[in-house]
Amino acid sequence: MKLYLNGTSPFARLVRATALELDLGTVALEWVDPWADQPALMRVNPLSRVPALENDSGDVLTETLLIVQHLITSAGHDAGLQTEDVRTISELGVAYGMMELAFAFTIHKKHCGDAGTTLQDRRQASLGRGLQAMETAVTEDTRWSLSRLCLWIALDYIRFRSVIDLSSDRYPALHTFFAAQQNRAALQNTSFA
Ligand SMILES: N[C@@H](CCC(=O)N[C@@H](CS)C(=O)NCC(=O)O)C(=O)O
């Protein structure tokens, strides 16, 4: 299997971290620049986006959550990521949505600067509500899961790109959660670069 990725994509990081959590040693990494319309990436994904996963038969999967689901099914176990649990599935939708909002905010800022403030304000407001919901979620249930893996990476991306104020007095439970998990191998070995 070959994973097409770049070093700053939170989506690609979620796929890579899931593969590590599952202990899948067979994923080769193909580093690409999705913004440069590289033939190697466009051959597997006409949309020129990462992540894309090419299996040994040449089939290609795109879209992070579909790839993750495929990896778990292929592995035959979920390594304690609790993917059958409805709480996990429910939380994953919000955590993945936060990742999307943070990414959209970052790309908008990069390409449009300060234009489109209404849209950017809306993204930040939605992210703030997502953070509040996750603040409650991590207080009520401390179990690790796929949604928590996604949440951790979304938080690290928000910090990495300075999308919104994540100060500990606003989100104390999220800070505790973030610190408690930061030494996980799947997170340490996939840091943004
Ligand atoms: N919904 C997609 C999002 C993937 C995505 O937006 N990837 C970005 C990098 S973080 C990309 O490759 N962008 C290049 C482009 O849009 O041209 C997923 O879940 O995989």
Side-chain angles (χ1 to χ4, degrees), residues 6 8-12 15 32-37 41 45 47-52 62-67 96 99-100 103 107 157:
N6 73 349
T8 56
S9 167
F11 306 106
V15 170
V32 291
D33 178 357
W35 302 100
D37 292 343
L41 177 60
N45 184 357
L47 307 183
S48 187
R49 297 207 297 191
V50 295
T62 59
E63 290 299 318
T64 301
L65 295 182
L66 296 176
I67 299 173
Y96 178 83
M99 188 179 271
E100 271 192 329
F103 176 69
I107 290 303
Y157 187 75

Side-chain angles (χ1 to χ4, degrees), residues 110-179:
K110 186 173 169 196
H111 290 275
C112 309
D114 290 334
T117 309
T118 308
L119 195 53
Q120 293 289 71
D121 287 350
R122 185 170 169 74
R123 288 176 177 136
Q124 284 183 313
S126 299
L127 260 178
R129 290 193 302 275
L131 288 166
Q132 282 301 345
M134 292 298 112
E135 174 79 8
T136 304
V138 298
T139 306
E140 288 176 354
D141 189 341
T142 57
R143 285 176 298 164
W144 184 246
S145 65
L146 181 61
S147 60
R148 299 293 161 90
L149 181 62
C150 183
L151 173 63
W152 197 98
I153 294 170
L155 291 173
D156 200 34
Y157 187 75
I158 291 167
R159 177 204 58 75
F160 175 58
R161 294 302 198 193
S162 306
V163 176
I164 195 172
D165 179 17
L166 278 180
S167 56
S168 57
D169 48 339
R170 285 184 123 169
Y171 307 109
L174 285 177
H175 269 260
T176 303
F177 159 75
F178 192 85

